[in-house]
């Protein structure tokens, strides 16, 4: 499905049916046009390492290359809960030699195929591309894609789910407290309190015992046959309750089972929420470690660039010294030759000088 907001901006949704049955190493979508360029989505179901899904945006042919930088995003849609969809944005200057650009490790395959998620629903994978062709100058607010972008996107969604769960739990708790607080219209008398406490003790000590049904049935049978010791109202109450005895016990046991199942699932939900929190806390730690490593890499790169710069300066200085040495070496040879000629001339003049000196000194 293709939608175009304006000439330089558009989006395309690709639904891949029978995804888990496909064996091709690469899958290519149909072409869609943005800014006069024919684009496609390229998918590698098992990525380059067999552990991740790989997604790329591709210019279909070099004749339709965009003139300048392109900002785009790729998304894998969670078809059950859209809030868990994974979206990564980046930018690239597409050229004939770099007509594909994207993410070799978009998301782990274990997450993609997780049955509790909706990334693959009815064996269909849904991918969305959003494309905006920009000017020749790269946008300053868009950073190049990083290996951790897919993790950042996923754990941002996880954090939103955790916050929503905690907010919902808190609001339910507050509502329950308000309702309980408003239920007491009058303050009970001391006698009513004592009766309520006695009734509670009897319920706790008899009603919830495992043999409650048998004992209660036996007591009702005995009392219904009694001729004395009971008032007319008591007999009517016993007969009325006995007539509905099976419904009461059935409803009670059903409630006990349903309540136990509710408490179990509530406990398991809390455990899963706690596990999500722990995973998110570990992600924060990993992210900090990764940021530290990136900072160290930047510092190392800075030192490396400085060393390379110094190396280039040293190379220039060395070349100047080498060139100067060769020039001086040539001059030394020339001066040595002049010296040799001067010595020969001097040797020819020495006898005459010595004779003149002997005659007059």
């Amino acid at each position: 499905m293709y939608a175009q907001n304006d000439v330089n901006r558009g989006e395309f949704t690709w639904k891949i049916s029978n995804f888990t049955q496909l064996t091709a190493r690469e899958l290519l979508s149909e072409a869609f046009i943005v800014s006069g360029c024919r684009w496609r989505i390229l998918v590698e179901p098992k990525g380059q390492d067999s552990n991740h899904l790989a997604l790329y945006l591709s210019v279909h042919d070099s004749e339709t290359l965009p003139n300048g930088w392109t900002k785009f995003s790729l998304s894998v849609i969670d078809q059950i809960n859209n809030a868990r969809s994974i979206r990564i944005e980046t930018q690239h200057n597409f050229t004939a030699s770099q007509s594909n650009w994207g993410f070799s490790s978009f998301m782990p395959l274990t997450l993609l195929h997780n049955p509790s998620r909706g990334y693959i629903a009815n064996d269909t994978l849904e991918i969305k591309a959003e494309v905006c062709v920009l000017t020749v100058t790269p946008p300053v607010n868009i950073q190049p894609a990083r290996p951790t972008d897919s993790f950042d996107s996923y754990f941002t969604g996880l954090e939103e789910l955790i916050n929503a769960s905690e907010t919902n739990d808190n609001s339910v708790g507050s509502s329950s407290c308000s309702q309980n607080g408003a239920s007491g219209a009058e303050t009970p008398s001391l006698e009513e309190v004592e009766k309520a406490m006695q009734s509670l003790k009897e319920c706790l000590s008899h009603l919830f015992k495992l043999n409650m049904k048998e004992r209660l049935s036996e007591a009702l049978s005995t009392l219904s046959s009694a001729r004395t010791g009971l008032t007319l109202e008591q007999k009517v109450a016993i007969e009325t309750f006995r007539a509905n005895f099976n419904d009461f016990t059935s409803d009670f046991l059903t409630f006990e089972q349903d309540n136990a199942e509710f408490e179990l699932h509530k406990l398991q939900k809390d455990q899963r929420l706690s596990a999500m929190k722990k995973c998110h806390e570990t992600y924060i730690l990993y992210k900090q470690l990764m940021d530290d490593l990136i900072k160290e890499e930047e510092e190392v790169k800075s030192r490396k660039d400085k060393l390379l710069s110094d190396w280039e300066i040293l190379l220039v200085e060395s070349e100047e010294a080498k060139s100067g040495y060769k020039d001086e070496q040539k001059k030394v040879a020339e001066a040595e030759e002049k010296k040799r000629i001067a010595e020969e001339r001097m040797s020819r003049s020495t006898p005459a000088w010595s004779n003149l000196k002997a005659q007059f000194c």
Side-chain angles (χ1 to χ4, degrees):
M1 181 176 65
Y2 170 66
Q4 184 168 353
N5 300 323
D6 57 46
V7 175
N8 296 324
R9 185 187 301 270
E11 60 184 46
F12 175 74
T13 300
W14 182 24
K15 293 185 178 181
I16 309 175
S17 303
N18 304 315
F19 180 75
T20 60
Q21 302 175 31
L22 300 176
T23 58
R25 182 178 178 275
E26 294 182 351
L27 304 173
L28 202 60
S29 75
E30 63 181 88
F32 60 98
I33 298 176
V34 178
S35 190
C37 307
R38 299 177 64 197
W39 305 90
R40 290 177 184 263
I41 300 174
L42 174 65
V43 179
E44 294 179 359
K46 294 186 178 180
Q48 298 180 3
D49 60 1
S50 298
N51 294 317
H52 291 80
L53 178 75
L55 287 185
Y56 305 93
L57 182 66
S58 172
V59 179
H60 181 50
D61 52 65
S62 58
E63 287 76 14
T64 64
L65 285 171
N67 182 23
W69 286 79
T70 299
K71 171 185 172 183
F72 69 93
S73 68
L74 295 171
S75 304
V76 171
I77 306 301
D78 188 314
Q79 301 165 64
I80 296 176
N81 183 355
N82 189 63
R84 291 197 300 243
S85 297
I86 297 178
R87 178 180 182 274
I88 307 179
E89 181 177 298
T90 187
Q91 51 81 27
H92 181 60
N93 187 14
F94 287 88
T95 63
S97 61
Q98 290 189 337
S99 58
N100 299 331
W101 196 258
F103 314 96
S104 59
S105 301
F106 186 86
M107 65 185 298
L109 294 182
T110 52
L111 177 61
L112 176 68
H113 293 277
N114 190 330
S116 66
R117 299 290 186 266
Y119 300 119
I120 300 178
N122 298 321
D123 206 17
T124 299
L125 177 68
E126 184 173 338
I127 301 171
K128 182 178 180 181
E130 298 171 86
V131 180
C132 178
V133 177
L134 305 170
T135 63
V136 295
T137 303
V140 296
N141 60 332
I142 302 297
Q143 297 297 324
R146 299 182 303 169
T148 59
D149 283 348
S150 59
F151 300 111
D152 292 340
S153 176
Y154 172 78
F155 280 101
T156 297
L158 184 69
E159 183 179 16
E160 292 173 354
L161 177 61
I162 292 172
N163 293 336
S165 299
E166 291 180 334
T167 301
N168 183 60
D169 290 344
N170 291 337
S171 64
V172 171
S174 299
S175 176
S176 300
C177 291
S178 299
Q179 292 174 1
N180 292 338
S183 62
E186 297 180 0
T187 302
S189 65
L190 181 60
E191 182 180 359
E192 290 173 334
V193 171
E194 291 176 350
K195 285 183 178 180
M197 291 178 62
Q198 182 61 31
S199 176
L200 178 61
K201 289 179 181 179
E202 290 175 355
C203 287
L204 291 174
S205 60
H206 297 290
L207 187 60
F208 294 98
K209 287 185 177 179
L210 294 176
N211 62 346
M212 176 274 297
K213 181 177 179 180
E214 291 74 13
R215 292 184 61 186
L216 187 57
S217 177
E218 182 180 351
L220 290 174
S221 177
T222 300
L223 293 173
S224 65
S225 302
R227 295 291 183 269
T228 60
L230 296 174
T231 65
L232 178 61
E233 290 79 4
Q234 288 175 329
K235 288 183 178 182
V236 172
I238 289 172
E239 290 301 327
T240 301
F241 184 80
R242 191 179 182 194
N244 298 286
F245 179 72
N246 288 332
D247 290 341
F248 167 76
T249 54
S250 176
D251 291 343
F252 175 77
L253 291 176
T254 300
F255 167 76
E256 287 292 291
Q257 292 172 355
D258 292 346
N259 185 60
E261 184 177 359
F262 164 75
E263 292 296 337
L264 175 61
H265 286 304
K266 186 173 181 296
L267 176 62
Q268 290 176 337
K269 186 196 77 168
D270 292 341
Q271 290 175 338
R272 296 294 185 184
L273 179 60
S274 177
M276 285 196 303
K277 288 181 179 179
K278 185 175 181 181
C279 289
H280 189 265
E281 290 171 356
T282 304
Y283 156 73
I284 295 298
L285 174 61
Y286 287 175
K287 182 175 176 59
Q288 182 60 52
L289 292 174
M290 179 60 72
D291 289 343
D292 292 343
L293 287 174
I294 291 175
K295 185 177 179 180
E296 290 177 6
E297 289 175 353
E298 291 175 349
E299 292 176 352
V300 169
K301 184 178 182 300
S302 177
R303 294 200 302 269
K304 180 181 177 182
D305 292 343
K306 178 64 167 58
L307 181 58
L308 288 174
S309 176
D310 292 344
W311 216 333
E312 291 175 354
I313 294 173
L314 180 62
L315 180 63
V316 172
E317 292 176 349
S318 299
E319 184 61 28
E320 290 178 352
K322 178 181 176 182
S323 177
Y325 170 77
K326 289 183 177 181
D327 288 343
E328 293 301 327
Q329 189 179 37
K330 186 183 297 184
K331 291 177 180 179
V332 166
E334 293 173 353
E336 186 177 22
E337 178 63 18
K338 290 179 178 179
K339 177 184 175 183
R340 184 186 64 78
I341 294 172
E343 286 179 343
E344 289 180 354
R345 290 177 177 174
M346 184 176 174
S347 63
R348 289 195 296 268
S349 301
T350 298
W353 170 260
S354 298
N355 184 46
L356 179 62
K357 184 178 181 180
Q359 294 297 325
F360 293 95
C361 294

